[in-house]
Amino acid sequence: EHCFSKKADGFLYCEDVKVQDVMETVEKRPFYLYSKPQITRNVVAYKQALEGLNSIIGYAIKANNNYKILEHLRKLGCGAVLVSGNELRLALRAGFDPTKCIFNGNGKLLEDLVLAAQEGVFVNVDSEFDLENIVVASRIAGKKVNVLLRINPDVDPQVHPYVATGNKNSKFGIRNEKLQWFLDAVKAHPNELKLVGAHCHLGSTITKVDIFRDAAVLMVNYIDKIRAQGFEVDYLNIGGGLGIDYYHTGAVLPKPRNLIDTVRELVLSRNLNLIIEPGRSLIANTCCLVNHVTGVKTNGTKNFIVIDGSMAELIRPSLYDAYQHIELVSPAPQDAEISKFDVVGPVCESADFLGKERELPTPDRGAGLVVHDAGAYCMSMASTYNLKMRPPEYWVEEDGSVSKIRHGETFEDNMRFFEGL
Ligand code: LLP
């Protein structure tokens, strides 16, 4: 069951709300539309999968940092995974329990590490210099820091190279050859560092759970080695990365339950607490970017549907050649001809496309056109290129009401940066 679906009348619905009706009541510009109940269902799927294990669901805030969504995820019991000082500040502001927060990243700044140390969040050690900074941060904050070693297990996630992170030449984490150096460094700083676990993150959009299993086997071996040196490490953090069905082909992709089941026995055999860091699989499928058709044109052999949304609102197709499913929100006439269209925005770049060669009926001007699975890495990666200004966000609530959860940026917002200059 999915929150966005076409019903018998041929219209697209978000839960029981017709997307066309929402379009008629909100500002006429591209907007993100979420299903709040779908967010809940996604979290519940993870919680049920994790039953019987001690665990933390660390939601990866980078996927979507809408404050209202964060509050909702926090109320559902999630922790948070942070990659910048501002994400850490936002998580604290949204009320996340610091002991369920993990500060991650290959370039964490000293001042942000100080905040992390003060607040008592877990910190992943990424490199030699990172360890040195964490030691300094601990001294400044006057607090011992719970650290995990981010080990780079060199398991191929079989994904686009831009979203692969755990291979041996990656900029993230530490290589196992260096493990002993890090263990010695932790031992040398007993007042500043407490080693509590090991972390890995292989990449994103992974669609085979065996990949997680392979990594977990390696990680548990590292944990055995670490424990053999007298460290009491209790946490295995297997990162995020579970993919979703962007293609809408109905192919059966692994669910949270399959992911957790593939590592369950390993985790139990070593009496570990499991941390997972899902972003995409919690939030991507809860949202569509809703656009308006500006017009249709043909050049050479190509047909184009030009919409008001663009790579500024949603950059994944341009950046990763990512596929996100595209649909019109209202039914086409019975006799409508289906053609292949590139769906493009108004931005001055040929890379400005949302979809290529999509079979669609020729839409009327003003028709609604959605880009699916836009909850993760879409709004959070939006820009103001061409002064498009970032779109408003709405969600459909449990009772079917629609509310705004973020204002759209305006031209005046842009001018505010120049006030007083
Ligand atoms: N943990 C760490 C350490 C990460 O680097 C990431 C994502 C996650 C967790 C969450 O991964 P997820 O469950 O969402 O796959 N902008 C790209 C994705 C970049 C992912 C970066 N790291 C995209 O739009 O596909």
Side-chain angles (χ1 to χ4, degrees):
E1 173 208 14
H2 191 266
C3 56
F4 284 95
S5 60
K6 288 238 161 140
K7 299 214 172 175
D9 62 4
F11 283 90
L12 184 72
Y13 284 73
C14 176
E15 304 295 341
D16 290 324
V17 177
K18 219 188 236 186
V19 176
Q20 183 72 47
D21 291 347
V22 182
M23 289 176 69
E24 279 156 23
T25 53
V26 305
E27 296 164 84
K28 191 173 177 297
R29 59 187 287 189
F31 63 93
Y32 282 102
L33 181 64
Y34 298 82
S35 157
K36 190 179 181 193
Q38 184 70 43
I39 301 175
T40 308
R41 291 195 288 267
N42 290 352
V43 174
V44 168
Y46 268 108
K47 280 188 170 173
Q48 288 176 344
L50 286 160
E51 268 166 26
L53 294 176
N54 289 323
S55 64
I56 298 174
I57 303 174
Y59 166 66
I61 286 190
K62 69 186 99 178
N64 188 311
N65 56 35
N66 181 294
Y67 182 77
K68 304 293 283 182
I69 292 176
L70 294 186
E71 278 188 330
H72 183 53
L73 289 167
R74 187 259 298 161
K75 286 182 195 155
L76 291 168
C78 292
V81 172
L82 324 152
V83 290
S84 70
N86 281 343
E87 284 192 355
L88 173 54
R89 275 176 207 102
L90 186 66
L92 296 170
R93 192 81 70 90
F96 281 92
D97 174 355
T99 65
K100 288 189 190 173
C101 288
I102 303 107
F103 189 26
N104 223 327
N106 66 313
K108 299 188 283 300
L109 300 177
L110 179 60
E111 62 259 37
D112 296 336
L113 286 168
V114 172
L115 178 62
Q118 280 162 350
E119 297 293 339
V121 308
F122 291 107
V123 177
N124 282 339
V125 179
D126 190 86
S127 63
E128 292 86 340
F129 74 78
D130 195 39
L131 184 135
E132 283 169 24
N133 280 339
I134 298 167
V135 168
V136 174
S138 156
R139 289 179 187 150
I140 294 171
K143 282 204 176 170
K144 201 163 173 171
V145 183
N146 287 327
V147 296
L148 289 82
L149 293 179
R150 176 166 179 168
I151 299 174
N152 181 329
D154 194 20
V155 171
D156 179 5
Q158 302 172 29
V159 297
H160 189 285
Y162 289 6
V163 294
T165 46
N167 54 307
K168 69 171 185 282
N169 295 322
S170 158
K171 71 166 180 167
F172 299 101
I174 65 175
R175 288 290 300 142
N176 53 353
E177 305 92 80
K178 288 190 177 169
L179 184 58
Q180 193 57 47
W181 185 94
F182 284 88
L183 296 180
D184 292 340
V186 171
K187 275 185 206 155
H189 296 100
N191 300 321
E192 290 89 358
L193 307 177
K194 178 166 175 12
L195 182 61
V196 298
H199 169 258
C200 69
H201 174 74
L202 306 172
S204 204
T205 69
I206 300 170
T207 50
K208 293 183 191 135
V209 291
D210 290 359
I211 293 170
F212 290 100
R213 161 97 197 166
D214 292 348
V217 168
L218 291 170
M219 293 301 291
V220 163
N221 284 337
Y222 293 132
I223 286 178
D224 290 343
K225 282 189 191 155
I226 296 168
R227 280 179 168 171
Q229 297 195 27
F231 292 100
E232 286 172 26
V233 290
D234 294 325
Y235 291 91
L236 170 62
N237 182 337
I238 58 166
L242 189 63
I244 63 145
D245 181 21
Y246 278 115
Y247 288 92
H248 288 219
T249 54
V252 185
L253 291 182
K255 304 235 165 4
R257 172 165 305 284
N258 307 114
L259 167 63
I260 303 306
D261 282 350
T262 196
V263 299
R264 175 181 295 275
E265 288 310 316
L266 269 175
V267 170
L268 288 173
S269 71
R270 303 302 197 284
N271 204 13
L272 289 163
N273 298 314
L274 182 67
I275 304 179
I276 51 166
E277 305 184 332
R280 191 184 317 272
S281 53
L282 278 181
I283 198 76
N285 73 354
T286 69
C287 173
C288 278
L289 177 67
V290 184
N291 310 274
H292 306 80
V293 172
T294 308
V296 174
K297 69 186 277 187
T298 301
N299 267 344
T301 57
K302 281 272 182 198
N303 303 314
F304 298 95
I305 297 174
V306 184
I307 58 174
D308 54 358
S310 71
M311 68 188 288
E313 289 80 6
L314 197 157
I315 200 174
R316 300 190 67 259
S318 308
L319 192 57
Y320 315 113
D321 228 345
Y323 180 96
Q324 292 189 218
H325 197 60
I326 288 177
E327 248 182 326
L328 296 169
V329 306
S330 44
Q334 285 289 325
D335 54 353
E337 202 185 312
I338 307 284
S339 322
K340 277 195 177 162
F341 290 98
D342 282 11
V343 178
V344 302
V347 164
C348 298
E349 299 261 353
S350 294
D352 178 29
F353 63 91
L354 284 306
K356 288 200 160 158
E357 305 273 314
R358 301 301 176 87
E359 291 190 350
L360 292 165
T362 305
D364 293 332
R365 288 194 205 172
L369 178 150
V370 297
V371 181
H372 279 277
D373 304 309
Y377 307 108
C378 292
M379 181 59 170
S380 67
M381 295 178 77
S383 76
T384 57
Y385 188 40
N386 286 199
L387 279 192
K388 289 276 289 158
M389 309 316 292
R390 289 183 292 174
E393 297 181 292
Y394 297 85
W395 68 15
V396 172
E397 305 206 37
E398 289 77 4
D399 64 2
S401 59
V402 177
S403 42
K404 195 183 240 190
I405 54 170
R406 180 178 166 125
H407 293 295
E409 284 175 354
T410 63
F411 176 73
E412 291 309 325
D413 289 328
N414 176 66
M415 296 320 291
R416 239 183 266 157
F417 292 109
F418 305 96
E419 274 166 25
L421 293 186

